[in-house]
Amino acid sequence: MFSYSGPALLVYADGNRAELDRVDLIETVTDGIWQLSGAGTAAEELDGGEALLRLPTGGEAAVVVTNVRVHPGAKGLSTSVTLLGSQTGRGPGD
């Protein structure tokens, strides 16, 4: 099992990038299937869909960005998202 809290980068299939100020991730493996779940926040508007999540530790994982919520505020907007992913082989914590 692997967990991570800190900044990250989302790279969408069309090449667009978005910096996440903070993500909180938990990774587990069951029968060779890596499952990743977590949430993130950003100071910019994010899109839902498939993306590559890159961590400053060098780990990366394919994720689906869901539950996109944009929150307007006095200091600008913020966005919160849910991140989900699964894969065989190695996960971002390896």
Side-chain angles (χ1 to χ4, degrees), residues 37-57:
S37 62
T41 59
E44 59 187 287
E45 191 167 341
L46 301 175
D47 294 320
E50 296 180 7
L52 182 65
L53 178 70
R54 290 190 176 152
L55 305 180
T57 60

Side-chain angles (χ1 to χ4, degrees), residues 72-89:
K75 296 181 181 179
L77 65 88
S78 68
T79 304
S80 61
V81 296
T82 301
L83 304 167
L84 303 168
S86 66
Q87 62 191 47
T88 58

Side-chain angles (χ1 to χ4, degrees), residues 2-93:
F2 166 78
S3 64
Y4 172 81
S5 293
L9 178 68
L10 283 174
V11 181
Y12 291 94
D14 64 3
N16 284 333
R17 296 170 176 252
E19 290 186 24
L20 296 170
D21 302 319
R22 181 177 178 88
V23 294
D24 294 306
L25 302 171
I26 295 176
E27 174 192 65
T28 58
V29 63
T30 304
D31 297 328
I33 304 286
W34 293 89
Q35 296 178 329
L36 177 75
S37 62
T41 59
E44 59 187 287
E45 191 167 341
L46 301 175
D47 294 320
E50 296 180 7
L52 182 65
L53 178 70
R54 290 190 176 152
L55 305 180
T57 60
E60 56 184 40
V63 297
V64 176
V65 180
T66 64
N67 296 329
V68 178
R69 295 185 182 111
V70 179
H71 311 279
K75 296 181 181 179
L77 65 88
S78 68
T79 304
S80 61
V81 296
T82 301
L83 304 167
L84 303 168
S86 66
Q87 62 191 47
T88 58
R90 297 174 57 143

